[in-house]
Amino acid sequence: MAATTRITVTLPTEQVDELRKLTDNVSGYVAEAVARQIRHQLLADDLRRHQDEQGAFTDEEMSEAQARIFGSAGSAGSASAA
């Protein structure tokens, strides 16, 4: 089990109410959300660094990335609408 540290976080009452409707484990839910946000930020930093070193992504590179993420250009729109 990973080491943990207890902290106090202040959230709007409405968010806490919704969290409690979604889960009995608010700490776990928040920890998962924070981990996802950290991964997102690290990926964004890596992509920005790559573009700084290699230049902007081409349209072809972007299309290929979208196809890998969403399966195909046709399903990208339906996946983002979900």
Side-chain angles (χ1 to χ4, degrees):
M1 181 173 188
T4 60
T5 301
R6 180 180 287 265
I7 64 169
T8 300
V9 176
T10 302
L11 298 170
T13 300
E14 298 81 20
Q15 287 183 352
V16 175
D17 293 343
E18 291 301 317
L19 273 170
R20 288 185 174 144
K21 289 177 189 176
L22 294 170
T23 183
D24 292 332
N25 183 359
V26 173
S27 292
Y29 191 96
V30 171
E32 184 179 319
V34 169
R36 186 172 40 254
Q37 185 62 33
I38 289 170
R39 286 190 306 271
H40 178 82
Q41 185 63 49
L42 291 173
L43 177 59
D45 292 345
D46 284 346
L47 291 172
R48 202 169 7 268
R49 187 172 26 260
H50 176 83
Q51 287 191 85
D52 288 346
E53 294 171 2
Q54 305 295 324
F57 292 108
T58 65
D59 289 342
E60 182 179 327
E61 290 169 324
M62 293 300 290
S63 293
E64 182 180 337
Q66 288 177 340
R68 287 183 180 195
I69 292 168
F70 298 112
S72 72
S75 64
S78 61
S80 62

